[in-house]
Amino acid sequence: MTTPPAEPTGREPHEESRPASRGRRRVVLGVGGGIAAYKAALLLRLFTEDGDDVTVVPTAAALNFVGAPTWEALSGKPVSDRVWDRVEQVPHVRIGKSADLVVVAPATADLLARAAHGFADDLLTNVLLTARCPVVLAPAMHTEMWEHPATVANVATLRDRGVHVVEPASGRLTGADTGPGRLPEPEDIHAACLAILDTSRDVTPQVRSHRDSVLAGLRIVVSAGGTREPLDPVRYLGNRSSGKQGYALAAEAIARGADVTLVTSASLPDPAGAHVVRVETARELESAMSAAAQQADVVVMAAAVADFRPAEYAESKIKKTHGPGEEELDDAPVIRLVRNPDILAGLVRARRELRDRTGEATAGPMIVGFAAETGDSSGDLLHHARAKLARKGCDLLVANEVGAGVVFGQDDTTVHVLAPGGEVLLTAGPTTKAAASAAVWDAVEEAVDVRPPRAE
Ligand code: CTP
């Protein structure tokens, strides 16, 4: 078997996530026995185009969908699902131990169960037991199987153990049915793998387990995006928030091993591994946040919530004429606004009530607010941020400067993280929203560390 010549791609390899001390990154691509196995061939291509050395380890069932010759041709290596081939090379230990990344796509319900229970009945499960690098599982199965309590428990066990289980996409499944259970697109799985490798690089030995972060295993809820307050069936009052900061926070928390719920009104691609709850209005956001906060260890309000909404919703489109073919209205309509709830202040209030009721001083989640400020004649950004922190009563406040063309929708930002006393714990930027998110979580990690553990 010869290696097929690499096709020119025009893409630069991802130097960021490449171990500096070694040559090619060693990736093991596990393939489970599902119809989506064909997509793993595209994922394999993305890794090899990046210059990675990929070893494909299919299950026996996977070979029913895509045969060994395909994997061998694409990876340039022999492929087996069994521990009994080339035994003198001890493949059942060597492949997992020497890997920089193990990614399994698709991970079937059966494979998740075997991995969760430590089975070692084929080469892939042996690899999963011997790997000491980041392990990413991308499940794909029918919705009923994904939502079955057995699978839910297996996924929770794997995540607790530090395995990255990517949330499946929603959409058309094998038959005519639709729902959560689709394998995410190969590009998304590849991007999730690179993000995981990026956060684990530079830490010995070769890779860092996300168990190193105190966020690992914590339940984190992040809100993102600007709310939309409907005026009529086609119009709404909105704001310039893109949601990028909230999504970057969610992605970074997932990379640190947290169990992340993202409550969002933005229409960006779902961060791999997040439980995504979609909302539109401030009131929908409020009920989603207060429900999610009850089980959470940390809540971050990065959403740009509309403080006001139209007092009346017009069931049909507001017209500028009296009716079809009729005269235009003399006056433009006046839109009366009413206040929306302050969700952040409400979360802090609910936590205070919980603490009063239980007598437990640390009950409820740690609560992090954001302050989008412009600075004006009455004070600069930090002055306004300190006042907001005192008003809202949250544990940390992330202040950033906003204005037309600044921050909203942009990829770069500057953030200041303030402690309850108003002191600036850290400033990051101008930098990417991903790097700003890392700084925010660093500050949260420090603050969580000094809180006594929560009673369950
Ligand atoms: N927030 C909220 N509910 C609102 C308004 C804001 O939960 N109705 C949250 C935001 O998600 C953010 C923080 O409160 O975490 C500060 O939001 P910001 O828009 O900066 O401040 P406001 O409270 O709206 O005050 P102002 O508009 O007067 O600056």
Side-chain angles (χ1 to χ4, degrees):
M1 172 65 53
T2 52
T3 308
E7 289 171 19
T9 65
R11 295 175 57 210
E12 290 297 320
H14 269 270
E15 294 303 336
E16 279 284 273
S17 48
R18 189 167 301 286
S21 55
R22 294 213 306 242
R24 301 167 78 196
R25 201 168 34 198
R26 281 188 281 234
V27 176
V28 175
L29 173 61
V31 186
I35 189 84
Y38 73 93
K39 287 193 186 174
L42 304 173
L43 181 58
L44 165 55
R45 244 322 167 34
L46 293 172
F47 282 111
T48 55
E49 283 177 354
D50 239 5
D52 296 323
D53 170 271
V54 185
T55 303
V56 182
V57 183
T59 62
L63 293 173
N64 288 325
F65 290 95
V66 180
T70 301
W71 304 119
E72 291 181 342
L74 290 176
S75 68
K77 292 182 174 196
V79 159
S80 171
D81 63 301
R82 294 159 21 98
V83 291
W84 306 113
D85 296 332
R86 296 185 310 283
V87 177
E88 79 290 353
Q89 296 177 14
V90 205
H92 72 288
V93 176
R94 181 183 50 80
I95 297 175
K97 262 178 89 173
S98 61
D100 296 308
L101 172 76
V102 176
V103 50
V104 181
T108 58
D110 175 68
L111 193 51
L112 292 176
R114 289 191 291 136
H117 293 278
F119 278 36
D121 52 356
D122 62 4
L123 186 56
L124 182 52
T125 45
N126 275 272
V127 167
L128 292 172
L129 283 177
T130 50
R132 291 295 174 266
C133 57
V135 174
V136 181
L137 304 182
M141 63 198 74
H142 277 275
T143 305
E144 291 77 7
M145 296 171 91
W146 175 246
E147 291 178 347
H148 191 283
T151 307
V152 171
N154 290 333
V155 169
T157 301
L158 290 162
R159 283 183 173 150
D160 277 353
R161 240 179 246 156
V163 174
H164 301 266
V165 183
V166 172
E167 204 69 14
S170 272
R172 181 84 191 265
L173 301 171
T174 316
D177 47 344
T178 59
R182 264 172 75 90
L183 186 71
E185 292 309 311
E187 290 78 9
D188 293 335
I189 301 172
H190 185 243
C193 291
L194 295 186
I196 288 162
L197 283 169
D198 269 351
T199 53
S200 60
R201 74 179 187 276
D202 299 338
V203 182
T204 53
Q206 305 296 343
V207 287
R208 178 181 76 168
S209 157
H210 62 210
R211 288 191 205 100
D212 296 344
S213 167
V214 294
L215 301 186
L218 294 193
R219 290 156 298 187
I220 293 182
V221 184
V222 179
S223 69
T227 63
R228 295 175 168 196
E229 310 297 327
L231 198 51
D232 70 15
V234 293
R235 303 182 180 96
Y236 60 84
L237 295 184
N239 60 61
R240 297 168 66 96
S241 169
S242 64
K244 285 181 182 174
Q245 184 65 73
Y247 277 63
L249 283 162
E252 178 64 22
I254 291 164
R256 294 185 187 208
D259 180 353
V260 175
T261 299
L262 178 66
V263 182
T264 177
S265 53
S267 42
L268 297 168
D270 292 356
H275 313 280
V276 178
V277 179
R278 301 207 175 275
V279 295
E280 194 171 308
T281 66
R283 286 185 296 174
E284 287 170 10
L285 179 61
E286 182 190 37
S287 57
M289 288 305 287
S290 56
Q294 291 188 14
Q295 302 302 321
D297 298 295
V298 182
V299 175
V300 181
M301 276 296 299
V305 189
D307 291 321
F308 305 98
R309 67 177 183 277
E312 285 95 31
Y313 172 73
E315 295 292 341
S316 48
K317 188 182 169 197
I318 300 169
K319 306 290 288 178
K320 62 176 180 286
T321 55
H322 289 285
E326 291 182 14
E327 300 251 308
E328 291 205 354
L329 295 169
D330 292 338
D331 296 319
V334 173
I335 300 166
R336 200 168 63 82
L337 300 177
V338 291
R339 266 184 193 284
N340 267 333
D342 187 323
I343 302 167
L344 177 58
L347 292 170
V348 173
R349 197 168 48 245
R351 187 181 66 176
R352 195 179 319 116
E353 286 164 8
L354 173 71
R355 289 178 177 179
D356 289 346
R357 207 168 51 245
T358 59
E360 223 188 283
T362 56
M366 177 178 181
I367 301 177
V368 182
F370 265 69
E373 299 293 348
T374 53
D376 55 25
S377 56
S378 66
D380 65 2
L381 172 140
L382 287 178
H383 169 84
H384 287 301
R386 288 188 177 107
K388 193 166 283 180
L389 176 55
R391 217 167 51 237
K392 305 262 182 180
C394 49
D395 302 307
L396 291 176
L397 189 86
V398 184
N400 57 1
E401 184 144 8
V402 294
V406 186
V407 177
F408 283 136
Q410 302 291 306
D411 290 323
D412 281 6
T413 185
T414 299
V415 293
H416 311 273
V417 182
L418 276 66
E423 65 272 23
V424 178
L425 294 178
L426 62 83
T427 293
T431 186
T432 60
K433 288 183 177 173
S437 302
V440 170
W441 290 123
D442 286 348
V444 170
E445 283 185 352
E446 295 253 323
V448 165
D449 245 357
V450 297
R451 275 161 56 102
R454 279 182 65 191
E456 279 300 315

